[in-house]
Amino acid sequence: MSEEIKTTEQTVSKPAAKKRIFSGVQPSGLLTIGNYIGAIRNWKTLSSEYDCIYCVVDEHAITVRQVPADLRRRTYETLAIYIACGLSPEDNVLFVQSHVHQHAELSWILGCYTMFGELSRMTQFKDKSAKNADNINAGLFTYPVLMAADILLYQADLVPVGLDQKQHLELARVIAERFNGVYGDTFVVPDGYFPKVGMKINSLADPTKKMSKSDTNPNGYVAILDDPDTIIRKFRRAVTDSDTEVRYGEGKDGINNLMTIYSAFTGRTYDEIEAEFEGKGYGDFKNAVGETVADGLRPVREEFDRLMKDKAYLEGVMKDGAAKASNVAVRTLSKVQRKLGFVQVK
Ligand code: TRP
């Protein structure tokens, strides 16, 4: 973020040493190995180069009905997963959205700079309204505005998200540019930071579709926290084709997907994997993938279990993170309010 330094005659902009990254995950379900491979496990390497802020977006979660006890538990769990995947609270700001009230406040303001038509075009809104026909609430509609507020509040330069969030991110840019256009430079216009191509993980039950934590068929996804036996069983049942050769190719969506996962966990190339399983059948390959993934996630799960037994520690991280996040949020909101013409009394 560029910091303004006031001198007597002019305002100069000092470029900060590090660019800022912001991302959020909803505490609405368990994260899958798709989230792990494509996103979270890579985030730990970013903290040396960027100023990283990761949020558990509980306010977004209530756009669909939540059981309060589940929401509370998942908020702790999502934070614990972040930490267990290697995001240390010392090197990253980790916090819970509802602990920093400026998100909701900025969201109201930005809503007045977002058009009804723009929100109506969001494909996720259309999908979610179709799925929740009995609860098409205003929050579901303005969801992308709150997301824009999350990002713009921290003047984030880069936002790591899945491709499904690209449209929301583009809207955040439009809102930032619109506001800047009216009031002068206020927000950094954020860029997306998308997972590498080829790292898209598909469902084990239907390998033509993205692996999703909200899949109604639990055999379709592998959760980061699934126990080893479950992981191995799910891979054994993975849908493949009627061919027998472990080879990356057209029409072999199931095998391609398993090869991508195996490659992500072992660092081996497709050629190396093909050589490794030459003359062996799909059964051997599926077992190998299952065991490799179960082994790879073991330390994450163990650390998660340890953290979940220490609520006091997790709450300390939340408090500390919220305090750090607030420092930035307060400044941005106050700048916005000043520009809008809100009276500020100190
Ligand atoms: N909408 C995002 C998702 O479902 C979560 C999210 C909320 C987010 N606010 C954000 C992601 C800000 C990145 C930045 O995946």
Side-chain angles (χ1 to χ4, degrees):
M1 193 184 83
S2 68
E3 231 157 87
E4 281 194 348
I5 304 171
K6 291 236 173 352
T7 63
T8 38
E9 19 347 271
Q10 60 181 357
T11 301
V12 284
S13 228
K14 179 185 75 125
K18 283 185 177 179
K19 287 198 168 193
R20 179 164 293 153
I21 281 187
F22 182 96
S23 195
V25 173
Q26 286 199 46
S28 52
L30 293 173
L31 296 167
T32 71
I33 55 166
N35 304 114
Y36 180 72
I37 294 171
I40 300 180
R41 72 166 182 166
N42 307 315
W43 292 357
K44 62 169 178 272
T45 60
L46 298 173
S47 66
S48 56
E49 211 180 318
Y50 300 94
D51 185 8
C52 298
I53 309 182
Y54 299 112
C55 183
V56 181
V57 291
D58 55 349
E59 290 170 330
H60 277 102
I62 62 164
T63 53
V64 297
R65 217 40 109 235
Q66 300 288 339
V67 176
D70 291 348
L71 179 61
R72 191 171 297 120
R73 179 175 38 81
R74 286 187 181 137
T75 301
Y76 284 97
E77 286 177 353
T78 307
L79 181 72
I81 290 182
Y82 274 158
I83 302 171
C85 289
L87 299 177
S88 82
E90 289 77 38
D91 298 332
N92 303 274
V93 175
L94 308 176
F95 77 108
V96 177
Q97 188 181 32
S98 66
H99 294 174
V100 180
H101 60 78
Q102 285 82 0
H103 290 247
E105 289 177 66
L106 183 62
S107 179
W108 170 257
I109 294 170
L110 295 182
C112 301
Y113 297 83
T114 310
M115 300 303 136
F116 183 86
E118 289 170 330
L119 293 175
S120 311
R121 283 194 287 278
M122 295 291 119
T123 53
Q124 194 172 79
F125 171 68
K126 292 188 223 169
D127 290 351
K128 285 198 182 171
S129 346
K131 277 194 205 138
N132 302 280
D134 55 343
N135 185 21
I136 308 179
N137 61 73
L140 203 58
F141 190 63
T142 57
Y143 179 110
V145 181
L146 179 58
M147 179 162 160
D150 296 341
I151 299 165
L152 303 184
L153 199 48
Y154 297 97
Q155 307 287 4
D157 300 282
L158 283 178
V159 182
V161 276
L163 283 174
D164 61 321
Q165 296 298 313
K166 198 171 179 195
Q167 202 185 22
H168 290 165
L169 189 68
E170 271 157 16
L171 184 61
R173 291 172 56 91
V174 168
I175 298 170
E177 279 165 355
R178 181 173 295 142
F179 197 97
N180 289 350
V182 180
Y183 300 98
D185 250 4
T186 309
F187 296 119
V188 170
V189 181
D191 282 315
Y193 187 93
F194 300 103
K196 270 201 224 105
V197 277
M199 280 301 168
K200 190 166 157 258
I201 307 302
N202 287 336
S203 160
L204 299 188
D206 178 357
T208 60
K209 292 212 186 94
K210 188 186 154 193
M211 183 181 284
S212 162
K213 60 186 171 184
S214 48
D215 197 330
T216 46
N217 177 1
N219 288 324
Y221 62 85
V222 175
I224 296 180
L225 300 173
D226 275 346
D227 61 77
D229 289 345
T230 306
I231 295 177
I232 291 167
R233 182 172 43 78
K234 285 182 178 178
F235 277 104
R236 274 201 195 123
R237 289 204 188 148
V239 171
T240 46
D241 51 74
S242 55
D243 194 18
T244 50
E245 246 181 283
V246 177
R247 183 174 46 80
Y248 199 95
E250 207 161 313
K252 294 172 67 79
D253 296 314
I255 288 296
N256 295 349
N257 190 40
L258 296 182
M259 285 180 74
T260 304
I261 296 170
Y262 193 62
S263 165
F265 273 85
T266 58
R268 287 174 212 156
T269 64
Y270 293 150
D271 283 346
E272 286 166 348
I273 298 169
E274 284 170 11
E276 185 180 346
F277 291 94
E278 184 153 11
K280 295 188 187 149
Y282 282 180
D284 285 340
F285 180 51
K286 287 182 186 177
N287 276 335
V289 183
E291 273 161 28
T292 304
V293 172
D295 272 355
L297 291 176
R298 185 164 290 123
V300 174
R301 203 182 36 258
E302 285 172 0
E303 178 64 358
F304 172 85
D305 288 341
R306 199 185 62 72
L307 289 165
M308 283 304 286
K309 289 194 196 109
D310 196 349
K311 293 270 156 60
Y313 170 76
L314 291 175
E315 284 167 6
V317 170
M318 289 179 190
K319 265 198 197 165
D320 199 43
K324 289 185 198 152
S326 291
N327 278 335
V328 185
V330 165
R331 276 188 289 160
T332 305
L333 186 66
S334 145
K335 181 170 163 188
V336 168
Q337 290 175 329
R338 180 161 32 85
K339 296 209 175 204
L340 286 170
F342 287 1
V343 172
Q344 295 180 302
V345 282
K346 285 246 166 72

